[in-house]
């Protein structure tokens, strides 16, 4: 017999995402998180190093042309919010480190995925697996999907387009009006993934006078994937050129 005085367990608290950041602050945080992993000998970063990282031509979207004054202004706001800190190294030059892992409550592969989303915005699972692999090994797309599902549940990541091939994901640190606009643009974009083929999604002769064959839909989806792979190749070549020039 159940205890009439027993209380039911309290529901788990709902996940609360970190406070949104402006687009310049998101780039700054992403760069600090990236460089801490890829160039630890040069981290924390000086103001000049941070400006260079923000305006880097590879692994960035959109491309930016920030001035030292703009970056410095944003750093002041981020310091006040507890996102970054100024540290004094062995020289007189001020350097900056991030508190991104604590700010978002992430580590390991979660942190790798969030870093790439901060640097490049919306991406497919395939893109994320390749790019986040710079920091942490991700075995396959199934593993990456589990990571994304967890981040979505914690309200750190949002899905911009319907589930299926080419589904787009992004971080949840946008300002509300930015995220709403991005969702609409992702749906309206010709590069957005096709909706799942269901009876209601595929036009019928009665609804449009002609039918779109499965072969045509598959061809369009295949071409979209080819375009994404070509973009990745261009990014890799651009990255190599940047390294050679430096």
């Amino acid at each position: 017999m159940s205890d009439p005085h027993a209380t039911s367990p309290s529901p788990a608290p709902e996940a609360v995402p970190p406070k949104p950041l402006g687009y310049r602050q998101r780039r700054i945080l992403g760069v600090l998180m990236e460089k801490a992993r890829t160039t630890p000998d040069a981290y924390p970063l000086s103001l000049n190093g941070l400006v260079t990282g923000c305006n880097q031509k590879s692994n960035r979207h959109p491309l930016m042309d920030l001035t030292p004054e703009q970056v410095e202004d944003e750093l002041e706001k981020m310091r006040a919010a507890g996102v970054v800190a100024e540290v004094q190294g062995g020289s007189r030059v001020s350097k900056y480190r991030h508190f991104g892992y604590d700010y978002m409550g992430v580590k390991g592969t979660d942190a790798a995925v969030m870093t790439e989303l901060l640097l490049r915005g919306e991406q497919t699972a395939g893109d994320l697996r390749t790019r986040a692999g710079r920091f942490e090994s991700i075995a396959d797309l199934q593993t990456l999907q589990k990571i994304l599902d967890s981040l979505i549940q914690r309200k750190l990541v949002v899905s911009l387009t319907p589930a299926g091939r080419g589904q787009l994901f992004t971080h949840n640190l946008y300002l509300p009006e930015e995220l709403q606009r991005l969702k609409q643009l992702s749906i309206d974009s010709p590069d957005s993934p096709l909706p799942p083929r269901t009876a209601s999604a595929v036009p019928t002769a009665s609804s449009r006078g002609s039918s779109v064959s499965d072969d045509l839909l598959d061809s369009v989806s295949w071409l979209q994937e080819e375009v994404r792979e070509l973009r990745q190749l261009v990014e890799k070549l651009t990255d190599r050129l940047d390294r050679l020039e430096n």
Side-chain angles (χ1 to χ4, degrees), residues 110-136:
D110 289 355
V113 169
M114 293 303 297
T115 300
E116 284 302 323
L117 289 175
L118 285 168
L119 291 173
R120 294 195 55 87
E122 65 277 14
Q123 300 172 59
T124 65
D127 292 335
L128 276 171
R129 185 194 166 212
T130 299
R131 292 165 180 159
R134 295 191 296 147
F135 313 113
E136 296 280 346

Side-chain angles (χ1 to χ4, degrees), residues 126-186:
D127 292 335
L128 276 171
R129 185 194 166 212
T130 299
R131 292 165 180 159
R134 295 191 296 147
F135 313 113
E136 296 280 346
S137 176
I138 301 176
D140 49 37
L141 282 176
Q142 185 177 7
T143 301
L144 189 277
Q145 188 62 54
K146 291 179 180 178
I147 295 169
L148 288 171
D149 290 342
S150 173
L151 291 170
I152 289 172
Q153 188 174 13
R154 293 156 57 192
K155 296 189 176 180
L156 290 170
V157 166
V158 294
S159 174
L160 295 173
T161 55
R165 189 174 184 179
Q167 183 180 8
L168 291 174
F169 303 90
T170 194
H171 61 78
N172 196 21
L173 272 71
Y174 288 100
L175 299 172
E177 59 273 18
E178 285 183 298
L179 184 58
Q180 186 60 38
R181 185 165 61 250
L182 183 59
K183 287 181 177 179
Q184 189 59 50
L185 287 172
S186 297

Side-chain angles (χ1 to χ4, degrees), residues 28-130:
I28 290 169
L29 179 58
V31 169
L32 286 171
M33 292 172 66
E34 174 194 46
K35 299 305 182 184
R37 300 292 296 274
T38 59
T39 57
D41 292 342
Y43 180 83
L45 296 181
S46 66
L47 177 61
N48 287 339
L50 191 48
V51 171
T52 299
C54 288
N55 297 336
Q56 190 174 305
K57 297 297 188 294
S58 60
N59 295 314
R60 303 288 186 268
H61 180 77
L63 297 181
M64 293 185 180
D65 189 18
L66 302 182
T67 66
E69 292 76 19
Q70 289 173 325
V71 172
E72 199 165 26
D73 287 345
E74 298 301 334
L75 284 168
E76 287 299 316
K77 300 173 188 175
M78 297 173 76
R79 285 175 59 192
V83 184
V84 302
E86 182 178 343
V87 297
Q88 293 291 341
S91 66
R92 297 179 181 178
V93 177
S94 295
K95 296 191 175 183
Y96 299 89
R97 59 166 297 186
H98 73 84
F99 294 130
Y101 300 155
D102 295 331
Y103 188 73
M104 293 181 286
V106 295
K107 60 182 180 179
T109 51
D110 289 355
V113 169
M114 293 303 297
T115 300
E116 284 302 323
L117 289 175
L118 285 168
L119 291 173
R120 294 195 55 87
E122 65 277 14
Q123 300 172 59
T124 65
D127 292 335
L128 276 171
R129 185 194 166 212
T130 299

Side-chain angles (χ1 to χ4, degrees), residues 190-212:
D191 290 334
S192 63
L194 294 168
R197 285 202 298 271
T198 62
S200 58
V202 179
T204 62
S206 60
S207 63
R208 293 187 58 183
S210 63
S211 62
V212 179

